[in-house]
Amino acid sequence: MATSVRRAQLTLPVAPLGPENPLPGLRTLDQVHELDDRAREGLPRDMKRQIGNAPLRTTLPVRTLDGYGRERAATEVESIVIENDRLRATVLPGLGGRIHSLHHKPTGRELVYRNPVLQPADFALNGAWYSGGIEWNIGATGHTTLTCAPLHAAVVPAPDGGEMVRLWEWERLRDLPFQVDLWLPADSDFLYVGVRVRNPHERPVPAYWWSNIAVPEDEHTRVLAPADEAWYFGYERSLARVPVPHFDGADRTYPTRSEDPADYFYEVPGESRKWIASLDRAGQGLVQTSTDRLRGRKLFVWGAGAGGRRWQEWLTEPGTGGYAEIQAGLARTQLEHVPLDPGADFSWLEAYGPLSADPAPVHGDDWAAARTEAARALDEALPRASVEAAYTAWLAHADQEPGELLHTGSGWGALEVLRGGHKLPGTPFPESLIGEQQRPWLELLRSGVFPAPRKVVPPGPSLVAPHWRDMLETAPAEPLTEYHLGVAQWHAGDLAQAVRSWERGLQLAPSRWPLLRNLALADCAAGHGERAADLYAAAFADLCEERRDGEHWTAATAALGREAIDALLAEGRTAEARTVWEGLRPATRTTGRFRLIEARLLVAEGDREAARAVFDAGFEVADLREGSTEVSDVWATITDEPVPGAYDFRRLS
């Protein structure tokens, strides 16, 4: 059959995302992938420089997604299917453009781990993330803020004369437009993926990209890459150079032979072909290869211990098989950000397809023979020269204007293109895409005035890039303008000026709680706990007087209530924390997150028996952060008994 591109609907059990958290993300980013200063000593110079290249303080201007639960219902999910007579790729344009499935027809094999559910969990930089398939991580160290966001998608002429699917968006953490082009030549076993990240600015920008591929694992699965060494990161804030495959008494190229979660960033020689494969006991599985720009390769394992298995179950359904991740990135490790020069771009080509190698050497004790056999099988299935030729052919089509529109993303790119006058052939961001969240900023751009809202609503998203901050500074100093200006100043590290802007806005603000909340958080960050507690209590009381019906007000009440209770309990002000609790919406108090907060509150009130009853009744905290121990920590304040398995999310076994 000729290659086809078509829309389709998947029906999956889905936990809805819920509304965005309307409170700006001012808190310092809590990163698991960080190094202590001493751990940087002895690292290669380029690695050390790129690890220190503009790490994020916050996820501004992107909003947090934490309003999801764990109740799933059968839901139709939009998809795009790219198919020939050998391979079928299913793409989810409304969820980060992830490849949900890569099915090889001749063998009937699913080449990637296909999650049977869509269950958000707090793994992305801005919260909601889900596991499985192939995801495109751009922005900064971690899972992209676009994980659960819609991308623009359209049909574009492919290099072989057929059709390809273009995905594109404006990545807001670094203000970088990017595109992902997927095409499947007729009779090909390999899906080609052309990627381009552009810097339209007059300044260098730290760039980040990792393609993450979830692959099924069992005791016989082995991951192979052209490397004899790896950089090991065991979530202890250090990198260690270790041998491949044997390290610490076990062959770590078999994912299930690690007890604890770990990253292995392979040290692939510069001249070597760039590839990574996951093969089963028969020597069959998935291989990913690319042009040399995508130099990094990595294996992530959850570990066979109780903690790793618990987290895997949390992301899908009990009884579902486990998975590992094989990954490919711009740098050697995910702790690095690579400088992208003004007006320049990074581009490369990836290929994904089946690999069949001789299982005897692949699973033998001779590592050199194992990876040589995998490399030989790859060269036979897809020569390196073919990938280079496909890349050259794709570059000639990278600027092709999209044809039939398949899906629509956000309006933020359209706003930035209008502001900067950027020319981005192949990835259009027309003004018609500008929506409700962007319109106040468009008015600021055109008139120099940030408009007052027409009705009482929580403030919309803030923009924080230097050019928007400059516009806010010269706009009339209305309360809402001062609110957004303070957020932009906070993002820039000018914390004292941010506080002054919020204090100025408070003097005439008809809606006081957003400014009071920001001032409270600033006091928390400065160590002024009592003053922060005062401000949080005042902010929550003001919100309760102002709020209306609707999910945005419910989300604001839950988000502010959660922060206020934390601040009040930290200062021992239990009665006031209880008052905030009683001001929450009844439906909010029944969610797992607030059941845990209720248990904390009961402990603070001295009623451990009632707190234990909360646990005995059962609850699930949907937005537990990766590696969180907060549930077991609260349990430990109630009893000395072992933590029940349902509440044990500790990373280690």
Side-chain angles (χ1 to χ4, degrees):
M1 62 179 288
T3 300
S4 66
V5 174
R6 57 185 170 86
R7 288 189 178 100
Q9 294 285 342
L10 287 177
T11 300
L12 294 170
V14 175
L17 281 175
E20 296 178 329
N21 185 326
L23 305 185
L26 304 178
R27 294 182 184 275
T28 302
L29 193 61
D30 179 21
Q31 274 280 41
V32 296
H33 284 92
E34 284 185 344
L35 290 185
D36 293 332
D37 289 340
R38 286 190 301 175
R40 302 186 187 195
E41 298 174 6
L43 296 179
R45 186 175 302 173
D46 64 328
M47 183 185 290
K48 185 186 300 185
R49 182 173 60 250
Q50 290 178 169
I51 287 174
N53 184 15
L56 290 184
R57 287 184 61 252
T58 73
T59 55
L60 291 168
V62 180
R63 284 182 152 185
T64 300
L65 290 173
D66 59 5
Y68 51 87
R70 291 191 57 81
E71 292 186 3
R72 299 188 285 264
T75 306
E76 286 194 343
V77 180
E78 291 185 59
S79 69
I80 300 169
V81 177
I82 310 168
E83 184 173 19
N84 65 8
D85 61 354
R86 310 285 298 175
L87 207 61
R88 181 171 60 247
T90 303
V91 182
L92 305 183
L95 292 164
R98 185 179 303 225
I99 297 176
H100 174 70
S101 167
L102 192 61
H103 179 78
H104 188 234
K105 295 181 180 181
T107 60
R109 294 176 63 92
E110 180 60 57
L111 299 179
V112 299
Y113 168 74
R114 183 179 59 191
N115 197 332
V117 305
L118 291 181
Q119 175 59 61
D122 191 4
F123 281 64
L125 287 165
N126 65 326
W129 172 86
Y130 64 101
S131 64
I134 304 170
E135 62 175 309
W136 320 112
N137 286 304
I138 180 174
T141 300
H143 292 285
T144 178
T145 61
L146 293 166
T147 288
C148 293
L151 303 190
H152 304 289
V155 175
V156 182
D160 63 353
E163 293 180 331
M164 67 181 174
V165 172
R166 173 161 301 157
L167 306 167
W168 74 98
E169 246 300 355
W170 193 279
E171 198 287 312
R172 300 177 64 212
L173 294 181
R174 304 299 194 184
D175 270 337
L176 295 178
F178 71 97
Q179 70 189 77
V180 178
D181 289 354
L182 306 108
W183 85 100
L184 189 55
D187 303 321
S188 174
D189 281 310
F190 282 83
L191 177 71
Y192 290 139
V193 181
V195 182
R196 178 168 60 174
V197 180
R198 292 190 273 201
N199 178 7
H201 308 294
E202 297 179 351
R203 65 184 190 280
V205 176
Y208 176 92
W209 185 282
W210 281 80
S211 301
N212 288 14
I213 310 118
V215 289
E217 67 167 12
D218 62 27
E219 61 182 315
H220 304 291
T221 302
R222 193 176 205 188
V223 172
L224 301 104
D228 293 314
E229 293 182 305
W231 294 95
Y232 164 73
F233 186 86
Y235 298 86
E236 297 156 348
R237 300 192 184 276
S238 65
L239 276 174
R241 199 165 188 159
V242 301
V244 175
H246 291 280
F247 163 59
D248 197 21
D251 185 335
R252 304 300 177 178
T253 60
Y254 289 89
T256 59
R257 296 185 187 178
S258 292
E259 280 296 303
D260 302 323
D263 297 328
Y264 295 91
F265 299 101
Y266 294 114
E267 186 68 39
V268 179
E271 70 282 358
S272 295
R273 184 177 184 181
K274 307 303 184 287
W275 60 271
I276 190 166
S278 173
L279 303 180
D280 64 14
R281 67 187 305 168
Q284 297 182 334
L286 172 80
V287 66
Q288 186 271 0
T289 187
S290 72
T291 49
D292 287 355
R293 168 67 71 183
L294 209 63
R295 64 174 294 188
R297 292 299 184 275
K298 171 192 165 183
L299 165 64
F300 166 73
V301 298
W302 285 99
R309 307 323 295 177
R310 181 74 179 96
W311 276 106
Q312 291 217 54
E313 290 178 356
W314 186 249
L315 297 170
T316 180
E317 294 180 326
T320 302
Y323 75 95
E325 285 184 8
I326 58 175
Q327 306 180 13
L330 277 175
R332 279 182 288 189
T333 74
Q334 288 175 328
L335 288 73
E336 302 171 66
H337 299 93
V338 182
L340 179 54
D341 292 333
D345 67 66
F346 288 144
S347 63
W348 62 89
L349 186 94
E350 304 181 48
Y352 295 84
L355 191 68
S356 181
D358 184 344
V362 161
H363 291 286
D365 293 332
D366 187 334
W367 172 244
R371 60 186 182 85
T372 297
E373 168 56 18
R376 180 209 62 77
L378 173 59
D379 288 340
E380 182 179 296
L382 185 66
R384 187 176 191 177
S386 297
V387 176
E388 296 291 342
Y391 173 60
T392 301
W394 169 71
L395 281 178
H397 288 71
D399 287 347
Q400 286 269 9
E401 288 304 312
E404 179 191 359
L405 192 66
L406 301 174
H407 202 268
T408 302
S410 79
W412 295 112
L415 182 67
E416 291 298 335
V417 166
L418 269 177
R419 184 209 60 79
H422 305 304
K423 305 300 181 185
L424 300 168
T427 55
F429 294 96
E431 186 176 344
S432 60
L433 294 171
I434 289 178
E436 181 180 355
Q437 289 190 333
Q438 294 85 39
R439 286 193 189 102
W441 297 94
L442 180 61
E443 186 167 335
L444 174 66
L445 176 65
R446 288 179 167 164
S447 71
V449 176
F450 197 91
R454 294 187 177 90
K455 58 182 180 179
V456 178
V457 292
S462 298
L463 294 183
V464 297
H467 41 265
W468 294 109
R469 188 171 73 247
D470 291 345
M471 281 184 255
L472 289 166
E473 286 176 345
T474 57
E478 298 296 331
L480 186 57
T481 306
E482 296 289 351
Y483 165 87
H484 287 300
L485 175 58
V487 174
Q489 291 164 333
W490 184 274
H491 174 265
D494 193 350
L495 309 189
Q497 190 58 55
V499 168
R500 285 192 285 272
S501 294
W502 293 327
E503 288 175 340
R504 282 197 305 270
L506 195 60
Q507 295 172 13
L508 297 174
S511 180
R512 294 171 55 83
W513 66 266
L515 292 154
L516 288 168
R517 177 267 177 180
N518 290 354
L519 289 167
L521 194 145
D523 273 331
C524 276
H528 304 308
E530 277 289 347
R531 196 162 66 197
D534 289 341
L535 289 167
Y536 266 123
F540 191 79
D542 187 70
L543 170 60
C544 288
E545 290 182 7
E546 182 177 287
R547 67 186 176 188
R548 310 290 195 269
D549 293 331
E551 68 172 10
H552 298 299
W553 286 105
T554 298
T557 305
L560 182 56
R562 178 174 169 179
E563 291 185 10
I565 291 172
D566 283 346
L568 291 163
L569 287 180
E571 298 304 315
R573 293 162 63 167
T574 307
E576 290 169 274
R578 173 60 70 180
T579 299
V580 172
W581 167 265
E582 291 170 350
L584 297 168
R585 305 282 199 196
T588 298
R589 294 200 295 261
T590 65
T591 63
R593 163 58 60 187
F594 284 89
R595 293 288 283 163
L596 179 64
I597 290 173
E598 181 185 21
R600 287 178 54 213
L601 184 55
L602 288 165
V603 170
E605 292 171 335
D607 194 346
R608 285 179 169 76
E609 184 177 343
R612 173 63 183 263
V614 172
F615 276 84
D616 290 344
F619 61 87
E620 291 184 313
V621 181
D623 63 328
L624 283 176
R625 190 66 179 161
E626 179 184 6
S628 170
T629 61
E630 58 184 312
V631 179
S632 50
D633 290 345
V634 175
W635 174 266
T637 66
I638 298 170
T639 176
D640 294 332
E641 296 175 21
V643 182
Y647 298 120
D648 192 354
F649 290 89
R650 291 169 291 186
R651 295 276 319 234
L652 302 182
S653 57

